[in-house]
Amino acid sequence: MTHNQPKRRFRRSTLLPLALLAYTCLMAYIGRGYYFSGDYLYYFGVLGATLVVLILLHFSLKRKEAMQEKRNREQEYGTYADEEQHNEGKMSS
């Protein structure tokens, strides 16, 4: 008996930050003139701030996906409180 699992695909919380990271690397390469001219603080400050934003974006999207998944499970299966209420109704009848 085989269990049909959906194909593993990249989630938005992973794919979007990775795409933006690739873009950031490209922009770092294009802006390397700032590094060579001695503007180290500006160059690494912009890169560091961008990386912090990408990390925050990843965790924010991951949290959003988890909440959406929880809502989908509750719609499909109901909640524990619904089950308890249903069982109490059977006992009192």
Side-chain angles (χ1 to χ4, degrees):
M1 185 165 135
T2 61
H3 181 61
N4 291 336
Q5 288 183 332
K7 289 183 181 180
R8 185 76 177 152
R9 64 181 185 95
F10 285 106
R11 293 181 174 242
R12 181 176 288 169
S13 64
T14 304
L15 190 61
L16 185 60
L18 281 178
L20 291 173
L21 179 64
Y23 176 75
T24 301
C25 291
L26 177 67
M27 291 295 107
Y29 178 76
I30 291 171
R32 70 190 185 281
Y34 286 104
Y35 176 74
F36 293 133
S37 69
D39 290 332
Y40 304 118
L41 184 61
Y42 177 76
Y43 182 77
F44 289 114
V46 170
L47 286 177
T50 303
L51 292 176
V52 167
V53 169
L54 289 177
I55 291 168
L56 292 174
L57 175 67
H58 169 71
F59 286 114
S60 173
L61 289 173
K62 199 168 188 163
R63 182 172 169 249
K64 181 180 174 183
E65 287 171 354
M67 289 188 316
Q68 180 67 37
E69 194 172 302
K70 182 180 177 185
R71 271 194 301 273
N72 290 343
R73 277 195 314 261
E74 285 179 358
Q75 287 176 354
E76 188 174 343
Y77 299 113
T79 62
Y80 182 74
D82 293 339
E83 187 176 316
E84 280 187 342
Q85 187 178 21
H86 181 72
N87 288 338
E88 286 178 6
K90 283 184 178 180
M91 292 178 144
S92 64
S93 295

